[in-house]
Amino acid sequence: MERKLEALQEEALEKIASARDLAELEQLQVEFLGKNGKVTGVLRGMGRLDPEERPKVGKKANQVKEIIEKELEARLQILKADQEKQRLQEEAIDITLPGKPLQGGRIHPMQLIIEQLEDMFLRMGFSIEEGPDVETDYYNFEALNIPENHPARDMQDTFYVEGGLLLRTHTSPVQVRTMEKQTPPIRMITSGKCYRVDELDATHSPVFHQLEGLVIDRGITFSHLKGVLIAVTREIFGAGREVRFRPSYFPFTEPSAEVDVSCFKCQGQGCSLCSRTGWLEILGAGMVNPRVLEMSGIDAERFTGFAFGMGLDRMAMYKYEIEDIRHLWDNDLRFLKQF
Ligand SMILES: [Zn+2]
């Protein structure tokens, strides 16, 4: 009987030592120590033994049971530790791997130009005004001294919509609306989309952006206009830019000028950006035509003013060296991510 117990112990220890997982270990527990287990079976059969032999065998059986229990427990701890180690290895995060970069948003180049100009004009005491994209004939043309037979009113140039309305062809209607609302001194800028019937190509778009400004006060002269425009060009294209005023004609200003800035890319030497001229044409300006002042209820005897307007698309194209105006509308992330 005792030898049988020893054999059982040996068998159990061997099996426990080679158990590979917790399930196997549990099976061994049942096999040896369970209700119908091998060691339990020996204890049950003790009734058939000689009375004097019983305590000896009983003691031995309990020893074997204890040893097996201890071994099971020890093996359990080892297997649990192994399992934990394996789990940690499987779930391990390699902190040396580079992270996934967050995709940050970018500001559209058109918005960059607008914000830069608005900041500068706000510092100079200008207010920012707004007006509708759909305008009346009066605000878009008539109040700006553009007579009925002016080429700008031609069907070729203007998008007309229902009800005698039109899509504004420039931001100048906002000047008229501001003059009607405010009394001088007026210092305002406005920017936004304008619309003209035009074929879409690398340098033309039927929708484009303008920023324009208006100053009206007593004693405003062309020198004030020059001062402001020189500040604008230096803000956008850097210090030291030369500015050139060429006489021009606009119905709403008199005298009128077109303004060029010396090419920032070639320093006026001539390059592809400036078509070898050394100059970039950036805006139109002039002293507000007294007739325009009078139509908006401002006394042209007491007040004078100047106005200027610039194409923001062209400004952005010059500043960021964008060759095709369509890039500004394509929403191609490869393009937009550069800003
Ligand atoms: Zn150039």
Side-chain angles (χ1 to χ4, degrees), residues 211 229 232-234 236-237 242-244 246 258-262 279-284 309-312 314-315 318:
L211 181 142
L229 294 185
V232 172
T233 55
R234 297 200 170 150
I236 297 294
F237 298 111
E242 297 288 327
V243 178
R244 179 171 81 171
R246 285 179 288 111
E258 282 186 73
V259 182
D260 302 337
V261 61
S262 60
W279 295 96
L280 301 171
E281 189 187 320
I282 54 161
L283 53 82
M310 60 191 89
L312 293 174
R314 185 182 287 183
M315 289 281 245
Y318 285 151

Side-chain angles (χ1 to χ4, degrees), residues 141-173:
F141 293 127
E142 211 174 306
L144 289 159
N145 196 32
I146 301 173
E148 218 165 292
N149 56 357
H150 193 279
R153 301 182 74 147
D154 198 293
M155 287 291 284
Q156 291 294 310
D157 295 323
T158 309
F159 287 107
Y160 287 94
V161 293
E162 280 175 28
L165 299 171
L166 50 85
L167 299 183
R168 66 180 179 189
T169 57
H170 45 191
T171 42
S172 307

Side-chain angles (χ1 to χ4, degrees), residues 43-61:
L43 285 166
R44 254 198 221 126
M46 273 173 45
R48 292 191 300 268
L49 289 176
D50 291 338
E52 70 242 40
E53 243 188 295
R54 273 182 213 164
K56 242 169 102 189
V57 174
K59 199 178 164 200
K60 181 70 182 170

Side-chain angles (χ1 to χ4, degrees), residues 185-329:
I186 293 172
R187 266 186 284 182
M188 58 79 73
I189 57 161
T190 186
S191 66
K193 290 189 181 73
C194 306
Y195 309 82
R196 286 184 202 178
V197 180
D198 213 341
E199 290 293 327
L200 182 64
D201 63 26
T203 52
H204 298 87
S205 165
V207 188
F208 55 99
H209 300 80
Q210 279 191 344
L211 181 142
E212 67 180 71
L214 173 72
V215 171
I216 298 172
D217 203 348
R218 292 172 194 272
I220 293 291
T221 69
F222 205 92
S223 312
H224 295 116
L225 169 61
K226 278 181 81 171
V228 168
L229 294 185
I230 287 168
V232 172
T233 55
R234 297 200 170 150
E235 173 79 15
I236 297 294
F237 298 111
R241 298 271 74 79
E242 297 288 327
V243 178
R244 179 171 81 171
F245 290 75
R246 285 179 288 111
S248 185
Y249 168 78
F250 302 112
F252 30 89
T253 48
E254 178 60 34
S256 304
E258 282 186 73
V259 182
D260 302 337
V261 61
S262 60
C263 178
F264 61 90
K265 196 180 174 194
C266 63
Q267 310 300 329
Q269 299 303 300
C271 69
S272 58
L273 185 68
C274 57
S275 310
R276 317 268 155 222
T277 62
W279 295 96
L280 301 171
E281 189 187 320
I282 54 161
L283 53 82
M287 300 305 291
V288 181
N289 191 314
R291 201 177 134 67
V292 171
L293 293 177
E294 295 286 357
M295 280 179 81
S296 294
I298 290 171
D299 185 352
E301 295 291 321
R302 291 164 62 209
F303 296 105
T304 52
F306 66 77
F308 55 88
M310 60 191 89
L312 293 174
D313 308 75
R314 185 182 287 183
M315 289 281 245
M317 289 170 78
Y318 285 151
K319 186 173 165 75
Y320 300 115
E321 296 188 41
I322 300 165
E323 313 91 46
D324 195 319
I325 199 170
R326 288 168 290 198
H327 289 322
L328 295 171
W329 299 96

